[in-house]
Amino acid sequence: MSVRVRRVYESPEADDGVRVLVDRLWPRGLSKDAAHVDEWPKALTPSTDLRRWYHAGEGSYEEFSARYEAELDAPEAAELLDHIRKSAAKGTVTLLTAAKEPDTSHAAVLARLLEDGSR
């Protein structure tokens, strides 16, 4: 299984495999053609309230991760997570985010859950 996290603003690479945008909002200043996004499962993204809470600096990354993982228990999100897990079992999946620090974003939480098979 191969799951990568990249900023959506980076140029696509030949080995990206399936490119999945994991942000609820479309990235500013980026055309859909330039993004080369294959899937955009909005129900897999953090809720607006959680996203705003985290970006306001009100909690730690660990607390954000726990809250986000709880949101991923919702049936629609769990189904989408399973879909991406199946895609990753067949080949590379690249999770795309506009986050300036992808290593401490929801995309990193998703990558970890996909790689360790939890949820």
Side-chain angles (χ1 to χ4, degrees), residues 45-88:
T45 65
S47 66
T48 299
D49 288 341
L50 180 58
R51 184 174 44 83
R52 287 180 179 160
W53 172 84
Y54 184 53
H55 292 301
E58 296 179 19
S60 67
Y61 177 68
E62 291 74 21
E63 186 176 355
F64 166 77
S65 296
R67 289 182 181 195
Y68 181 40
E69 286 184 39
E71 289 186 354
L72 292 172
D73 286 335
E76 187 177 5
E79 185 177 316
L80 289 168
L81 190 61
D82 189 51
H83 166 74
I84 293 174
R85 185 176 286 116
K86 288 176 182 173
S87 293

Side-chain angles (χ1 to χ4, degrees), residues 1-76:
M1 178 176 295
S2 178
V3 178
R4 299 170 36 167
V5 175
R6 298 187 63 216
R7 292 200 71 222
V8 68
Y9 297 108
E10 297 173 14
S11 297
E13 294 180 358
D15 60 349
D16 279 349
V18 178
R19 293 171 53 89
V20 181
L21 179 63
V22 294
D23 290 349
R24 186 168 296 267
L25 305 174
W26 188 262
R28 290 183 183 187
L30 187 65
S31 73
K32 292 188 178 183
D33 288 338
H36 298 278
V37 170
D38 297 310
E39 297 180 24
W40 187 17
K42 293 179 191 176
L44 190 61
T45 65
S47 66
T48 299
D49 288 341
L50 180 58
R51 184 174 44 83
R52 287 180 179 160
W53 172 84
Y54 184 53
H55 292 301
E58 296 179 19
S60 67
Y61 177 68
E62 291 74 21
E63 186 176 355
F64 166 77
S65 296
R67 289 182 181 195
Y68 181 40
E69 286 184 39
E71 289 186 354
L72 292 172
D73 286 335
E76 187 177 5

Side-chain angles (χ1 to χ4, degrees), residues 3 61 65-66 69 95 107-118:
V3 178
Y61 177 68
S65 296
E69 286 184 39
L95 304 178
V109 174
L110 283 174
R112 180 177 45 78
L113 293 175
L114 290 165
E115 289 173 345
D116 71 14
S118 61

